[in-house]
Amino acid sequence: MATPQLTKNQTLVMDALSHSEGPMSAYTILDKLRDHGFRAPLQVYRALDKLLEYGLVHRLESLNAFVACSCPHDHEHDHGVTAFTICEGCGQVTEFHDEAIEQRLSTLTRAQNFKTEKTTIEIRGHCQSCV
Amino acid sequence: MATPQLTKNQTLVMDALSHSEGPMSAYTILDKLRDHGFRAPLQVYRALDKLLEYGLVHRLESLNAFVACSCPHDHEHDHGVTAFTICEGCGQVTEFHDEAIEQRLSTLTRAQNFKTEKTTIEIRGHCQSCV
DNA sequence: GCAATCATGTAATGTTATTACATCAATTGC
DNA sequence: GCAATTGATGTAATAACATTACATGATTGC
Ligand SMILES: [Zn+2]
Ligand SMILES: [Zn+2]
Ligand SMILES: [Zn+2]
Ligand SMILES: [Zn+2]
């Protein structure tokens, strides 16, 4: 999906996430954007919905939080299965993609006749610096 | 970890999940157990914490819900990485384990010097019956 | 102009999870 | 026996996350 021009609110949320060190909850984003006129959770959630749809942002299910996509590409194509390592120590999140895992999951779901729509892979633990 | 004798509340929560068709939220469990004297969320969450620790129950991060482990074994040993398919149509959840994926993830995290503590794999989509 | 669509604003509510504090029972050490 | 510890429980209050409902404003196509 080609990414359309972002609206004002979408841009504000995207910028907040892009400039953040790590993932942010919707309410943290809301607080960051109060100075820019944000007043209600829905302003954030609506923007996030679109940014997720465009593939510019990922949701971390195990954190109830959101993170800017770290892929260098232009998001003009689907980037397949996304996986994350999440450090419990410093909060660092690393996005990665692996063709072998994607293939294997595809084989397994095909065997169940299961039609995959979204795959969540999140690995919680400690990074190199936080052992 | 050997599973110790379950307490009264842990047994009630475990039974509720075991007899359920699919995953249940903590508050749904609470409602089911009101007749047995449950009054507050914490009674459920405390039992769930232990059941998760013993490996008798899994948490589905993308649903904020809990499901009884479907493994036949006696839970006397760790059962490695657990993955789920979750049907958006009928709510059916299927637990599975795959050594190849576990190996591959292990290789990838080792390359980052990341120490894994918990791995979440959840595949949302539609099952055979719900295409 | 007018309908249709999309973005936005705001309030209220719903859902999920935790903190804080009190009580009770079983176990341990002496 | 009995104080101290530990683990389980009960209850209330609050925090954190997310959605529903309704109203308004801007843009586009005709
Ligand atoms: Zn990405
Ligand atoms: Zn770290
Ligand atoms: Zn299991
Ligand atoms: Zn189904």
Side-chain angles (χ1 to χ4, degrees):
Chain A
M1 167 184 335
T3 305
Q5 185 63 33
L6 298 184
T7 67
K8 174 162 150 283
N9 286 0
Q10 288 160 20
T11 303
L12 286 166
V13 170
M14 190 67 222
D15 286 352
L17 281 172
S18 298
H19 296 138
S20 166
E21 283 297 301
M24 300 172 89
S25 78
Y27 278 75
T28 303
I29 295 170
L30 175 57
D31 285 341
K32 293 267 186 211
L33 294 180
R34 294 223 184 256
D35 293 346
H36 296 273
F38 273 44
R39 294 269 160 273
L42 201 51
Q43 295 176 284
V44 177
Y45 283 111
R46 285 203 276 230
L48 285 172
D49 282 348
K50 289 296 185 182
L51 295 172
L52 288 166
E53 183 184 328
Y54 303 152
L56 299 175
V57 163
H58 299 290
R59 176 182 168 82
L60 299 172
E61 300 289 351
S62 68
L63 293 180
N64 293 331
F66 303 85
V67 68
C69 176
S70 65
C71 296
H73 67 57
D74 55 9
H75 299 273
E76 298 267 331
H77 63 285
D78 187 10
H79 59 323
V81 173
T82 305
F84 303 90
T85 52
I86 302 170
C87 178
E88 312 267 4
C90 61
Q92 179 182 101
V93 170
T94 302
E95 176 176 345
F96 64 95
H97 302 267
D98 186 73
E99 185 65 25
I101 288 177
E102 196 164 345
Q103 287 288 333
R104 183 69 185 145
L105 284 176
S106 172
T107 298
L108 292 166
T109 51
R110 182 179 305 270
Q112 292 186 28
N113 284 318
F114 188 90
K115 181 170 181 310
T116 296
E117 271 134 35
K118 177 161 194 326
T119 300
T120 296
I121 303 179
E122 297 178 17
I123 304 173
R124 306 282 292 265
H126 284 87
C127 78
Q128 189 165 16
S129 316
C130 296
V131 285
Chain B
M1 165 185 337
T3 304
Q5 185 64 33
L6 299 184
T7 67
K8 173 163 152 282
N9 285 1
Q10 288 160 20
T11 303
L12 286 166
V13 170
M14 191 68 222
D15 286 352
L17 281 172
S18 298
H19 297 138
S20 166
E21 283 297 301
M24 301 172 89
S25 77
Y27 279 76
T28 302
I29 295 170
L30 175 57
D31 284 341
K32 294 266 186 212
L33 295 180
R34 295 226 182 252
D35 293 347
H36 296 273
F38 274 44
R39 294 269 161 273
L42 201 50
Q43 295 175 283
V44 178
Y45 283 111
R46 285 200 277 230
L48 285 171
D49 282 348
K50 288 296 184 182
L51 296 172
L52 289 166
E53 182 185 328
Y54 303 153
L56 298 175
V57 163
H58 299 290
R59 175 183 168 82
L60 299 172
E61 300 289 351
S62 67
L63 293 180
N64 292 330
F66 304 85
V67 68
C69 177
S70 64
C71 297
H73 66 57
D74 56 7
H75 299 272
E76 297 268 330
H77 63 286
D78 187 9
H79 59 324
V81 174
T82 305
F84 303 90
T85 51
I86 302 171
C87 177
E88 311 267 4
C90 61
Q92 178 183 102
V93 171
T94 303
E95 176 176 344
F96 63 96
H97 302 267
D98 186 74
E99 185 64 25
I101 288 178
E102 195 163 345
Q103 287 288 333
R104 183 69 186 145
L105 284 176
S106 173
T107 299
L108 291 166
T109 52
R110 182 179 304 271
Q112 291 186 30
N113 286 317
F114 188 91
K115 181 169 182 307
T116 296
E117 272 134 35
K118 177 160 196 325
T119 300
T120 297
I121 302 179
E122 297 178 16
I123 304 173
R124 307 282 292 264
H126 284 86
C127 78
Q128 190 165 15
S129 316
C130 296
V131 286

